[in-house]
Amino acid sequence: MRILMVVSHLRKGGPVDVIYNICKYLCGVLHLHVDIVTLRPESDNSKLQDFLDLGVQVMQLGYSYPMCELFPHKLRREIERVARKCNSDIIHCHGYHSVIACANIRQYKRIVTLHNRANEDVINSFGPILGTYMLRRYLKALRRFDTNVSVSYSAECLYKELNLPNVRCVNNGITPTNYPIEPSADKREKLRYALNLPQKGIIIASSGRIEKEKRYPELIKWFNHISHNSNMHLLILGDGSLLEGCKEIAANNPQIIFKGRVSNVSEYLQCSDFYISNSMSEGMSMAVCEAISCGLFPILSNIPSHRDVAVNINGYLFDDLGDIDMNHIISRTVDPNALHQYIRDNFSIETMGNGYFELYKELTK
């Protein structure tokens, strides 16, 4: 069985991490042959080499964003040419432009991963006028696919409510061994020292893109309000267009620590005590799964995808940051090993990879 993945690019980020984990499992464990075609040029923060190291062949079309938007028929012909060359059995799409380009391909079975909640994410990113146009175009194209795969149960329900046919669910998955628990207090102390983190006190971690939909400015304002005369610290990992503005809001609060984009996220999580996300919309947050895998108790905005991962472990869900009772949260007894095992059983690379493999087999019967 040969799979052709179609993606806009391989720049670092949640969806590309998911695609990488799928390829890693399909190639390394199930020994399937996976090829990738990218539509747009790569940037400095590309994971291209990581995919090549898996033995995946990557073909780059190099179209600009406007070209992808205006000439999907040209992309379709290029993708069909690549599929013939690779002798592909299934075309697996990820992202808006790949869906638009592949909607009218008929000679191959086609599957698409819906990485977000499109009716929320597209409108939030592009505004009500352009966003509504793009959403209608996207949903129309999705109706032509053989299988539409949501990355969480709540997203599956959403797309069914939008009358999208052939919707299935495969939870996103991480590699839990990359996000282990650090059980030793002595090693945690040494790791905090090595990472230049406070030796004493409670660390609440948050990671991801510093963008509008993640609502970091509101999170920082809340922490500024509650952190006085406390031993709590807010650790923010990641960068984005709102990073500098967030630093200004932090107003040199020594209890707010910005580390930017880091390659050793798991080490920072192992040094922390809790994880918080104030996101307004997620498909299925890999960052939340990574934190729980490291044994961190989750404090999450009450959105559907957060409920998907947190309800079964009694995670703390809030409708408003002002409602959070940190004293109650800190007093709770948490079993980090149980949290890690929960991720292994439900949101791992194995559960995700096997889920896609079963769908591939159904399509190629």
Side-chain angles (χ1 to χ4, degrees):
M1 186 186 300
R2 296 179 69 106
I3 313 300
L4 177 64
M5 300 274 186
V6 183
V7 302
S8 291
H9 52 73
L10 297 175
R11 300 170 200 164
K12 293 178 181 177
V16 172
D17 289 341
V18 172
I19 297 167
Y20 176 81
N21 283 341
I22 296 172
C23 292
K24 181 179 178 181
Y25 191 80
L26 294 180
C27 297
V29 178
L30 300 181
H31 306 295
L32 300 186
H33 193 101
V34 180
D35 303 294
I36 292 179
V37 57
T38 63
L39 308 183
R40 288 155 46 195
E42 297 299 315
S43 60
D44 292 339
N45 64 337
S46 173
K47 291 188 68 168
L48 172 61
Q49 189 58 49
D50 294 340
F51 284 89
L52 296 176
D53 291 342
L54 293 177
V56 173
Q57 180 182 205
V58 180
M59 289 141 286
Q60 303 176 70
L61 300 185
Y63 279 63
S64 66
Y65 189 99
M67 286 288 287
C68 291
E69 184 70 19
L70 297 174
F71 303 104
H73 58 284
K74 290 187 176 181
L75 286 178
R76 174 178 57 80
R77 288 198 293 267
E78 291 278 5
I79 293 166
E80 289 174 332
R81 177 184 60 79
V82 172
R84 288 193 297 270
K85 179 180 177 181
C86 295
N87 197 26
S88 304
D89 298 298
I90 291 173
I91 292 177
H92 188 162
C93 292
H94 304 265
Y96 174 79
H97 283 133
S98 70
V99 167
I100 302 302
C102 294
N104 291 320
I105 292 177
R106 289 288 179 261
Q107 62 269 46
Y108 298 95
K109 293 293 184 179
R110 292 157 302 135
I111 183 173
V112 56
T113 297
L114 310 167
H115 288 276
N116 58 11
R117 297 171 66 85
N119 63 328
E120 298 172 2
D121 192 61
V122 175
I123 302 298
N124 289 336
S125 298
F126 296 96
I129 298 176
L130 179 58
T132 299
Y133 160 75
M134 294 176 68
L135 178 62
R136 290 175 178 171
R137 189 184 189 203
Y138 182 57
L139 293 175
K140 181 179 179 181
L142 289 175
R143 292 187 174 92
R144 299 172 184 168
F145 277 74
D146 299 290
T147 305
N148 294 289
V149 185
S150 69
V151 296
S152 66
Y153 171 72
S154 62
E156 177 186 15
C157 296
L158 167 70
Y159 283 105
K160 286 181 176 179
E161 289 173 2
L162 294 173
N163 296 317
L164 197 65
N166 308 317
V167 179
R168 306 286 289 275
C169 175
V170 176
N171 282 328
N172 275 351
I174 66 167
T175 304
T177 53
N178 291 344
Y179 298 91
I181 301 164
E182 180 47 76
S184 166
D186 181 58
K187 288 184 178 179
R188 275 169 53 94
E189 185 176 331
K190 291 180 179 178
L191 192 54
R192 281 193 178 192
Y193 179 80
L195 296 174
N196 194 29
L197 295 175
Q199 295 297 290
K200 304 295 182 181
I202 294 168
I203 295 180
I204 306 170
S206 189
S207 59
R209 295 177 294 110
I210 316 296
E211 301 294 348
K212 177 183 175 182
E213 66 272 15
K214 306 301 182 182
R215 297 192 293 196
Y216 273 100
E218 294 84 352
L219 177 65
I220 293 168
K221 290 176 184 177
W222 165 79
F223 189 80
N224 274 336
H225 179 70
I226 70 162
S227 61
H228 299 295
N229 301 317
S230 77
N231 66 341
M232 293 186 296
H233 304 271
L234 178 62
L235 171 63
I236 298 178
L237 308 173
D239 60 15
S241 63
L242 300 184
L243 177 58
E244 293 307 315
C246 286
K247 289 181 178 180
E248 292 180 8
I249 296 171
N252 297 318
N253 184 343
Q255 291 168 260
I256 301 179
I257 305 163
F258 293 91
K259 288 292 182 178
R261 182 189 290 273
V262 297
S263 59
N264 55 338
V265 172
S266 64
E267 291 186 337
Y268 285 97
L269 295 176
Q270 289 167 352
C271 291
S272 303
D273 302 284
F274 299 96
Y275 184 86
I276 190 166
S277 171
N278 189 39
S279 180
M280 70 170 70
S281 179
E282 297 280 354
M284 167 57 72
S285 175
M286 303 290 285
V288 170
C289 292
E290 292 164 359
I292 296 174
S293 181
C294 287
L296 303 191
F297 181 77
I299 308 166
L300 308 173
S301 53
N302 190 12
I303 59 175
S305 59
H306 283 166
R307 292 195 293 271
D308 286 334
V309 70
V311 165
N312 290 332
I313 54 174
N314 295 316
Y316 192 97
L317 295 165
F318 61 87
D319 292 307
D320 185 271
L321 286 163
D323 298 333
I324 298 175
D325 185 348
M326 284 305 303
N327 290 327
H328 171 70
I329 293 171
I330 292 170
S331 67
R332 298 183 63 155
T333 300
V334 178
D335 182 355
N337 292 300
L339 294 179
H340 180 80
Q341 190 61 45
Y342 170 70
I343 295 298
R344 292 190 71 95
D345 293 341
N346 298 279
F347 302 96
S348 70
I349 187 174
E350 290 84 6
T351 59
M352 178 177 63
N354 287 326
Y356 280 106
F357 183 52
E358 291 301 316
L359 293 179
Y360 294 157
K361 288 195 295 185
E362 289 182 23
L363 286 176
T364 54
K365 279 182 179 179

